[in-house]
Amino acid sequence: MKDLFLLNVSWIGMVVLLLCNVNISAKECTNTPTPLQSHTLRYEIAISKNESWKQEMLAYYHHDHLTPTDESAWANLFPRKILREENDEFDWNFMFGKMKHPGHYKMEVDFLKEVSLHDVRLDPQSLHGQAQQTNLEYLLMLDVDRLVWSFRKTAGLATLGSPYGGWEGADVELRGHFVGHYLSATAQMWASTHNGTLKEKMTAVMSALKECQDQIGTGYLSAFPTEFFDRFEAVQYVWAPYYTIHKIMAGLLDQHTLTGNAQALEMLTWMAEYFYNRVQNVIKTYTIERHWMSLNEEVGGMNDVLYQLYSVTGDQKHLLLAHLFDKPCFLGILAMKADDISIFMPIHTSRL
Ligand SMILES: *[C@@H]1O[C@H](CO)[C@@H](O)[C@H](O)[C@H]1NC(C)=O
Ligand SMILES: *[C@@H]1O[C@H](CO)[C@@H](O)[C@H](O)[C@H]1NC(C)=O
């Protein structure tokens, strides 16, 4: 019965998806969902030896990724929005206030308070406690040298052991992605358990990454070469290099905020400087439209991590770079409160 219900729900989901699809493809400035949004298919294309099939699929890829066309209209939305009257009935603060304090719409500043993970401990007997223990044991199984293998290789340092497989495979364009997640996962796990063995391991990974960044010497820190960004900026096929860079930057930020690792912020800031120069160079050499066109490839939550970095450093460059990863094609629609963005939310919002 339950299975049947789930089946029904997934059928409804598919019908809804199909309806949305038809709706979206009629609008301008959207990334029409295509089969190429499947990473598996794109990976198959990337490694395929069938040149005619590759050409065919990549032509499709370029055709279906539309370029933002109306950025000036989008830019105009900003001042208007800021100048708007405070009690605009569609304003989020207003709506929230209305729900929280019917009658008088004043915001309570400390309605939601963040509790530090350092101050929360799960009951080891509980389901959540057991899940946390499983997660901890999994993180402890991961090997430092294997995790940083491709980072060392990219930096021209000696590698030890062998790289992991899957997305971390030595010839997979997303390599390094999992390591970014590892930095976030271990920071959170350590804050939640203060397990000393885990702290040693994550600190060893951070030290190895620091060595790689120092060796490269430009601020760049990645498990794949900068040539991927040359392709990204030339709007040639490459598998989402910023999507992975975002994970690494977010991992460094979590290491900074949760573990007190003294080098994490410095490493992150240096990376931000590298990419600031890179994006600035694209805009100077070509145009801002060219930069936005390149953002049709998935860039993860680059803007999110950079806004967070800005809130730590107060450096205007970090704020500017964050803005440059806000996609007009997407945010324009959002700002106009259109209701047809849900289908491609995962591509433009930060995802885990
Ligand atoms: C290569 O791809 C084409 C489609 O573009 C297909 O018709 C052909 O059978 C493929 N060749 C091989 C060897 O798989
Ligand atoms: C960390 O957790 C593992 C797994 O529960 C445990 O074996 C190890 O003793 C812990 N390390 C420390 C220093 O407590």
Side-chain angles (χ1 to χ4, degrees), residues 9-241:
V9 169
S10 72
W11 271 107
I12 293 167
M14 271 178 71
V15 171
V16 169
L17 213 69
L18 286 171
L19 289 174
C20 290
N21 199 346
V22 170
N23 185 20
I24 277 179
S25 56
K27 305 250 177 197
E28 211 177 293
C29 197
T30 60
N31 288 353
T32 311
T34 76
L36 286 167
Q37 285 188 347
S38 153
H39 273 145
T40 310
L41 176 64
R42 287 164 57 187
Y43 180 61
E44 279 166 9
I45 294 167
I47 61 166
S48 168
K49 303 249 183 297
N50 185 338
E51 285 304 325
S52 67
W53 182 62
K54 250 176 147 157
Q55 292 298 322
E56 204 178 295
M57 295 308 280
L58 291 184
Y60 184 42
Y61 171 78
H62 283 300
H63 173 73
D64 274 319
H65 274 63
L66 299 181
T67 305
T69 51
D70 204 12
E71 50 271 10
S72 56
W74 172 75
N76 287 341
L77 286 168
F78 262 114
R80 243 188 290 148
K81 192 127 182 55
I82 289 162
L83 290 174
R84 215 178 238 175
E85 269 182 60
E86 220 175 286
N87 280 358
D88 184 320
E89 62 174 310
F90 296 111
D91 184 271
W92 283 107
N93 285 347
F94 178 82
M95 284 202 273
F96 169 81
K98 210 166 152 185
M99 284 186 284
K100 181 76 190 9
H101 306 287
H104 49 112
Y105 311 139
K106 246 182 99 220
M107 275 274 283
E108 284 270 337
V109 183
D110 58 355
F111 170 56
L112 291 174
K113 244 194 207 152
E114 190 171 345
V115 177
S116 166
L117 285 178
H118 292 277
D119 298 332
V120 180
R121 289 297 175 266
L122 297 180
D123 173 359
Q125 304 308 319
S126 69
L127 185 66
H128 300 102
Q130 284 168 21
Q132 182 180 59
Q133 179 63 23
T134 306
N135 194 3
L136 170 64
E137 284 167 21
Y138 171 69
L139 290 171
L140 287 170
M141 272 166 50
L142 296 168
D143 180 78
V144 176
D145 291 321
R146 297 194 71 185
L147 282 170
V148 300
W149 197 95
S150 288
F151 285 87
R152 284 180 169 149
K153 174 114 180 131
T154 303
L157 293 171
T159 53
L160 293 168
S162 58
Y164 280 114
W167 277 11
E168 287 303 299
D171 56 356
V172 175
E173 294 195 342
L174 283 188
R175 57 192 184 268
H177 196 98
F178 181 86
V179 178
H181 282 305
Y182 173 89
L183 296 179
S184 293
T186 50
Q188 289 171 10
M189 181 59 77
W190 182 72
S192 311
T193 60
H194 284 188
N195 179 286
T197 320
L198 187 72
K199 178 147 201 191
E200 263 172 43
K201 278 206 147 175
M202 73 183 180
T203 308
V205 171
M206 283 294 287
S207 302
L209 293 179
K210 171 92 176 96
E211 268 174 40
C212 294
Q213 195 184 29
D214 286 345
Q215 176 69 22
I216 295 173
T218 59
Y220 187 71
L221 173 62
S222 173
F224 51 74
T226 55
E227 179 260 327
F228 284 28
F229 284 98
D230 297 341
R231 280 195 272 151
F232 178 88
E233 289 160 4
V235 199
Q236 288 168 3
Y237 182 79
V238 60
W239 191 355

Side-chain angles (χ1 to χ4, degrees), residues 259-277:
T259 79
N261 183 307
Q263 288 169 332
L265 185 61
E266 194 187 304
M267 289 165 73
L268 175 57
T269 307
W270 200 13
M271 265 183 103
E273 188 186 319
Y274 174 83
F275 287 106
Y276 180 88
N277 291 334

